[in-house]
Amino acid sequence: MRVLICSLCLLLSVAAQAADSLLITLHGDPAPGALLRAEVVPGTQVWLGDTPLRVSPAGQVPFGFGRDAEGEAVLRLKRGAREEQVRLPLSPREWNIQRIEGVPQRTVDPPPPEVLARIREETAQVRKARDTDSRLDFFAGDFIWPLTGRISGVYGSQRVYNGVPGSPHLGLDIAAPTGTPVVAPASGVVTLVHDDMFYSGGTLIIDHGYGVSTTFIHLSEMLVQAGDEVTQGQAVARVGATGRATGPHLDWRINWFQERLDPTTVVGPMPSR
C-alpha cells in the first residue's frame, strides 16, 4: 500500500509539473478514511466539491474522507483566471467485524440520564477540540508512530461489545503495557486533556494545524497540559486501560475537523521493536 501511495504521489507530481498545473503534489491514496495533503501553487483557492478549503501561505492544504465515503471526489482549484478540476476516484475498502467480550457492562447498556448528561458534555469538549482551525503547519510534515507494539484493532472495523453491536471503530489500537510512553506523532499544541471520560477514559488531543489533529485515549497518565506546545517524538502520556477497554492499549486517532480518519494513511510500516 505504501508503494502504491508513493507511486500515486509521484505520478500526480509529474503530471502536474508536465501540464503546469496548479496542483503540484498530492500526498496520500484517495480512499475512505484517508487524510490527503495537497501542495498547490501559492495563492490558489481550493474546494473539495463545493466545500472551500483553507490553504496555507506555502500552498499546503489538508483534507480527508470519512469511513463511509464512496464514489468520486472532485478537487477544484482557481488562481486568477485559471481554473482546474482534479478527479479523485475513491478506492473501496473492506472492514473487519470484531466481537469483544468482557468490557464493563455499564459502557454497553444504555446510560441512565445522569450519565447521558456527562457523555454529552464530554462529547462537546471533544468536538470543540477537533474544531480547532489554527495556522499551525505541522500537518504537512511526516508523522511517526506514537509507540510500537502489536496492532490489536484497526480503523473501520465494526465492533460487537458483549454481544451488542456498537459504532464502527474509528481508531487504531496498539497493545502495550500500562505505563508505556506515548509520543507526539507530529509537533503541535495540546487542545484537550481529560483524565477520565466515560467511554475513552484518559483522553488527549493535539492540534497540528488547519483542522488536522490526533487523539489518544484509554491513557493512564498525562505528561502535558492543555495549551502546551509539543514537538514530534516528545512523550505526552502513558498507555492505560481506562474507559471502555479490556486491557492496556493505545487507541490512536487522526481527525480532519469532525471527520475521523485512519492513522495508517499518514505513517509508514510499524517500526521494529
Side-chain angles (χ1 to χ4, degrees):
M1 177 61 76
R2 192 66 177 175
V3 173
L4 175 62
I5 292 173
C6 293
S7 298
L8 176 64
C9 294
L10 178 61
L11 288 173
L12 284 169
S13 178
V14 171
Q17 292 173 8
D20 191 28
S21 171
L22 295 175
L23 176 65
I24 300 172
T25 57
L26 181 64
H27 300 278
D29 180 22
L35 173 66
L36 282 80
R37 292 165 290 174
E39 181 182 358
V40 300
V41 175
T44 299
Q45 296 174 277
V46 181
W47 292 261
L48 181 62
D50 294 326
T51 303
L53 305 181
R54 195 157 55 78
V55 184
S56 77
Q60 303 283 352
V61 53
F63 57 97
F65 301 103
R67 176 188 183 272
D68 297 326
E70 59 183 3
E72 181 181 77
V74 177
L75 204 62
R76 297 169 45 218
L77 303 97
K78 185 177 186 296
R79 187 171 187 269
R82 292 182 59 184
E83 295 189 27
E84 299 176 12
Q85 288 191 355
V86 179
R87 297 190 176 278
L88 304 173
L90 302 185
S91 303
R93 297 179 63 178
E94 295 183 358
W95 311 113
N96 295 332
I97 302 296
Q98 293 181 315
R99 299 185 182 277
I100 301 176
E101 301 295 333
V103 300
Q105 192 62 34
R106 68 182 182 86
T107 65
V108 177
D109 294 333
E114 64 274 13
V115 175
L116 184 59
R118 171 188 171 184
I119 292 170
R120 287 173 174 165
E121 193 275 332
E122 292 171 352
T123 299
Q125 291 183 45
V126 171
R127 288 187 64 86
K128 180 179 179 181
R130 290 206 308 257
D131 268 340
T132 301
D133 189 12
S134 74
R135 296 297 196 269
L136 301 176
D137 60 2
F138 298 116
F139 71 87
D142 292 334
F143 282 60
I144 63 173
W145 288 84
L147 80 164
T148 58
R150 177 177 61 86
I151 295 177
S152 57
V154 296
Y155 173 90
S157 58
Q158 180 75 31
R159 289 184 160 184
V160 180
Y161 294 103
N162 296 352
V164 179
S167 300
H169 183 46
L170 298 177
L172 181 72
D173 291 343
I174 307 170
T178 297
T180 302
V182 175
V183 305
S187 298
V189 173
V190 178
T191 53
L192 176 69
V193 173
H194 197 297
D195 291 328
D196 184 26
M197 288 192 165
F198 183 77
Y199 286 119
S200 58
T203 303
L204 171 70
I205 298 179
I206 301 175
D207 168 43
H208 306 292
Y210 289 72
V212 178
S213 62
T214 45
T215 302
F216 312 89
I217 67 179
H218 305 310
L219 303 169
S220 64
E221 182 183 356
M222 308 296 182
L223 304 179
V224 293
Q225 298 179 350
D228 285 355
E229 297 181 6
V230 297
T231 57
Q232 185 178 64
Q234 176 183 339
V236 295
R238 297 188 186 279
V239 170
T242 55
R244 183 159 68 178
T246 57
H249 71 282
L250 172 69
D251 185 339
W252 176 32
R253 306 186 174 204
I254 190 164
N255 322 290
W256 177 58
F257 294 112
Q258 299 306 323
E259 291 287 4
R260 289 185 281 183
L261 310 175
D262 185 351
T264 64
T265 64
V266 296
V267 288
M270 171 75 75
S272 300
R273 284 180 287 175

